[in-house]
Amino acid sequence: MNKEEILNLLKQISYPGFSRDIVSFGMVNDILVKNDSVQITLKIKSANEDKKEAVVSEIKSVLTEKSPFDNISILFDKSSDSGKTTEQPQTAQGPSTLTGIKHIIAVSSGKGGVGKSTVAANLALSIRNMGLKVGLLDLDIYGPSLPMILGLDEQPELNKDRKLIPLDHLQMKVMSFGFISGNQSPTIWRGPLVARMTEQFFYDVVWGELDYLILDLPPGTGDIQLTLTQKLKMDGALIVTTPQDIALADVKKGADMFRKVKTPVLGVIENMSGLFLEGRLNEGSDLTIEGQQVTLRDDGSFTIRMDLFKNGGGKTESDRLGVPLLGQIPISQDIMETTDSGKPIVELHPNSHPSKLYKEIAENVIDQVDV
Ligand code: ADP
């Protein structure tokens, strides 16, 4: 059995959590065949040891069953630790990577008001909670909400090279158009000016060393968004939507825009997805709620999930779009109140149910980017 035949067998093995196989991911670095022995060297950047082990055991079982080799050894190429992520498309068009920034993730939405900035801020905080260095850049020029969400109304200062120094807030670096334009929406700004300002925000901000820069993009898929996505080399994009909008053309347009600029869409986040009511049932009392899902626990406590938007597509829609559904965040008074008070929920109530959902999304993102 030659190398090529072995490679064909390995193509049957998909990387855990992905439909893509380990060969097309570029994870098979080398194959050495000698008599009845085969040695396979893998190059997997992920820090997730469980996934690596799963790949090793899958390779062993496939080769044991389908190849003639008696000795199968599998090694890891350690140099891959500092390598590029294989998930990143080689042809990403954005000409620039920003020095010192390892990964850039864009958070987008088809329209305004769906909770994109709330997701961006809570995601950034969840990544920070993992001990990583995070920057948050609000490029939502027509409705910058980050200053409100983070309770910031300071003006950034310039360093001696006349570069903007991002604000240091909650152990993150933060920059927003809102810091500069104040609360007045610069609706008179036209495309070219916006494009120039945006570029300044990429190149003239001294971010320093960052593991992740989270971009809060303006809603929609117009020229500005396209320019933005073309200028910078992004590792991946997230699309935030509400259940009633996921089926609309907006989300598909967003996914298509990122595909066009060869940025992988890491997934859709369905926000304001259902409403949870928590309560306790006292002895002898009745609880009947027509048409709603009720979870009643032994201690009398209950949770009711109400889907306010019946046409929500969730998983079915994301499957149709060919992107994973990364999470469903319910409507929550806590999210709204914390966001509107200038301290996102992940900061204020890190152990709450929504904070755990944001954490799961953050872990999923990092896992995909750090493959
Ligand atoms: P966008 O960036 O899409 O314009 P924002 O993040 O500014 O949207 O959110 C719009 C409003 O919705 C804010 O008042 C925010 O507090 C609220 N909000 C966002 N997500 C939720 C949620 N899951 N539950 C309740 N309110 C939310």
Side-chain angles (χ1 to χ4, degrees):
M1 186 172 244
N2 63 23
K3 263 185 180 184
E4 194 129 334
E5 289 163 320
I6 297 168
L7 211 54
N8 277 336
L9 285 180
L10 298 181
K11 278 184 192 159
Q12 298 167 9
I13 301 170
S14 48
Y15 187 68
F18 292 82
S19 51
R20 228 170 116 182
D21 68 275
I22 55 170
V23 176
S24 78
F25 258 131
M27 291 171 175
V28 179
N29 204 28
D30 199 17
I31 299 175
L32 271 176
V33 178
K34 204 174 176 193
N35 307 327
D36 62 350
S37 304
V38 59
Q39 178 181 300
I40 294 171
T41 311
L42 299 174
K43 189 170 176 176
I44 304 181
K45 205 183 157 217
S46 174
N48 188 325
E49 294 301 326
D50 290 348
K51 288 194 175 183
K52 289 186 189 168
E53 265 172 42
V55 172
V56 169
S57 79
E58 189 62 24
I59 294 177
K60 283 193 175 154
S61 97
V62 168
L63 291 184
T64 308
E65 194 188 327
K66 297 182 180 163
S67 79
F69 300 106
D70 288 333
N71 295 311
I72 302 163
S73 60
I74 298 166
L75 309 173
F76 281 95
D77 176 359
K78 294 290 177 209
S79 70
S80 60
D81 290 350
S82 57
K84 273 240 142 296
T85 72
T86 42
E87 168 69 342
Q88 215 174 40
Q90 313 293 311
T91 46
Q93 280 183 3
S96 21
T97 44
L98 296 177
T99 336
I101 299 180
K102 289 194 191 137
H103 300 295
I104 301 181
I105 306 289
V107 182
S108 71
S109 67
K111 62 179 199 181
V114 298
K116 170 179 52 64
S117 302
T118 307
V119 167
N122 281 297
L123 188 65
L125 286 163
S126 305
I127 297 177
R128 177 213 65 182
N129 285 347
M130 296 172 189
L132 297 169
K133 291 198 200 103
V134 180
L136 188 50
L137 173 56
D138 173 13
L139 291 169
D140 193 346
I141 189 152
Y142 296 115
S145 37
L146 217 59
M148 182 203 66
I149 292 177
L150 296 177
L152 288 169
D153 66 352
E154 292 163 49
Q155 293 256 316
E157 293 185 358
L158 293 173
N159 72 3
K160 58 178 181 350
D161 301 325
R162 302 201 57 75
K163 295 205 171 209
L164 285 160
I165 304 170
L167 300 184
D168 223 319
H169 185 66
L170 305 175
Q171 296 124 53
M172 299 188 298
K173 305 273 188 210
V174 185
M175 184 53 79
S176 165
F177 271 121
F179 298 154
I180 295 176
S181 67
N183 285 332
Q184 286 140 3
S185 164
T187 40
I188 49 154
W189 291 17
R190 288 289 169 256
L193 185 56
V194 170
R196 238 181 300 142
M197 270 294 278
T198 310
E199 260 182 73
Q200 268 208 322
F201 266 40
F202 295 154
Y203 306 118
D204 291 346
V205 175
V206 276
W207 291 106
E209 298 280 318
L210 291 180
D211 294 308
Y212 279 85
L213 177 65
I214 308 295
L215 303 183
D216 184 358
L217 290 186
T221 49
D223 283 350
I224 297 176
Q225 289 79 356
L226 196 60
T227 318
L228 284 175
T229 45
Q230 280 169 338
K231 293 251 168 193
L232 266 197
K233 187 165 176 169
M234 300 176 183
D235 292 79
L238 302 171
I239 301 176
V240 181
T241 176
T242 55
Q244 72 272 37
D245 287 333
I246 188 169
L248 298 183
D250 283 359
V251 176
K252 183 164 182 321
K253 265 200 226 157
D256 289 345
M257 173 180 79
F258 288 113
R259 281 197 193 109
K260 223 192 287 179
V261 295
K262 310 269 191 303
T263 297
V265 176
L266 305 177
V268 168
I269 297 165
E270 197 178 78
N271 192 33
M272 309 198 196
S273 167
L275 172 74
F276 287 90
L277 300 173
E278 303 283 342
R280 183 172 291 278
L281 201 61
N282 295 321
E283 220 174 307
S285 52
D286 278 341
L287 180 73
T288 322
I289 297 178
E290 211 66 53
Q292 305 299 344
Q293 180 193 321
V294 181
T295 311
L296 188 57
R297 287 175 285 268
D298 287 346
D299 64 356
S301 66
F302 63 81
T303 305
I304 304 169
R305 184 193 155 101
M306 296 177 69
D307 287 308
L308 303 178
F309 307 109
K310 292 294 179 198
N311 55 348
K315 173 106 180 63
T316 326
E317 273 309 315
S318 74
D319 283 351
R320 189 178 64 84
L321 294 168
V323 290
L325 181 67
L326 279 192
Q328 290 174 299
I329 299 164
I331 292 181
S332 140
Q333 195 172 352
D334 228 12
I335 293 181
M336 188 188 52
E337 282 175 4
T338 50
T339 304
D340 297 352
S341 75
K343 274 238 167 100
I345 192 162
V346 168
E347 183 63 19
L348 212 57
H349 305 302
N351 294 320
S352 62
H353 176 61
S355 296
K356 287 183 185 147
L357 297 176
Y358 289 120
K359 180 169 178 252
E360 272 173 33
I361 295 171
E363 283 172 351
N364 194 321
V365 166
I366 286 183
D367 219 34
Q368 290 197 54
V369 170
D370 257 351
V371 167

